[in-house]
């Protein structure tokens, strides 16, 4: 089964930046991808997604601050996070939907993601 491995989380002060990466063990699954996050007691939230055509979608809370991108040649998904806020503190997961779709209909549907990374902690201090 395909595996996703994340890197790049960590701790930063408010206003700082982090860049996370997610590598896939198999080619062909970086079609419909996303970054989701979860805090204790809450359900996973779709933060940013990118579809097979490269179109992106973002949660309102991160628009203008986060950028999702993918490098198909290197089989890597990225999340650039700028102007981080304490409320961005969470465990972040990269995930992939099985299939090849246009449109980011899956951003608000965590159950649609078939493959998950192990999760990476991001902590933003005030």
């Amino acid at each position: 089964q395909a595996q996703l491995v994340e890197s790049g989380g960590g701790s930063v002060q408010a206003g700082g930046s982090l860049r996370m990466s997610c590598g896939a063990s198999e080619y062909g699954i970086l079609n419909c991808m996303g970054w989701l996050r979860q805090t204790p007691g809450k359900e996973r939230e779709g933060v940013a997604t990118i579809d097979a055509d490269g179109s992106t979608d973002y949660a309102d809370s991160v628009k203008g601050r986060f950028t999702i991108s993918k490098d198909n040649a290197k089989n890597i998904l990225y999340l650039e996070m700028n102007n981080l806020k304490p409320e961005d503190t969470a465990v972040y997961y990269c995930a992939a939907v099985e299939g090849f779709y246009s449109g980011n209909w899956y951003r608000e549907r965590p159950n649609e993601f078939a493959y998950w990374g192990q999760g990476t902690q991001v902590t933003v201090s005030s």
Side-chain angles (χ1 to χ4, degrees), residues 3-118:
Q3 292 184 333
L4 302 175
V5 180
E6 304 144 5
S7 61
S11 297
V12 66
Q13 288 191 326
S17 298
L18 286 172
R19 187 192 197 204
M20 295 197 294
S21 302
C22 173
S25 62
E26 295 181 10
Y27 281 93
I29 68 168
L30 283 188
N31 295 317
C32 300
M33 301 286 296
W35 289 95
L36 300 91
R37 66 187 180 188
Q38 189 171 26
T39 55
K42 293 188 177 181
E43 294 188 356
R44 289 183 185 182
E45 171 195 20
V47 173
T49 53
I50 187 166
D51 71 7
D53 298 327
S55 296
T56 58
D57 190 36
Y58 298 92
D60 288 343
S61 59
V62 306
K63 280 182 181 177
R65 300 188 298 120
F66 289 15
T67 302
I68 186 172
S69 61
K70 58 181 176 177
D71 186 328
N72 289 324
K74 295 182 179 178
N75 222 32
I76 299 177
L77 179 76
Y78 300 100
L79 183 68
E80 185 81 32
M81 303 184 290
N82 297 313
N83 191 22
L84 282 159
K85 303 176 180 181
E87 51 263 43
D88 294 318
T89 295
V91 176
Y92 284 72
Y93 298 87
C94 74
V97 173
E98 197 154 30
F100 196 91
Y101 301 102
S102 293
N104 289 273
W105 53 267
Y106 38 88
R107 185 179 65 76
E108 297 181 357
R109 300 179 183 180
N111 290 337
E112 295 293 336
F113 290 87
Y115 304 101
W116 291 85
Q118 78 279 11

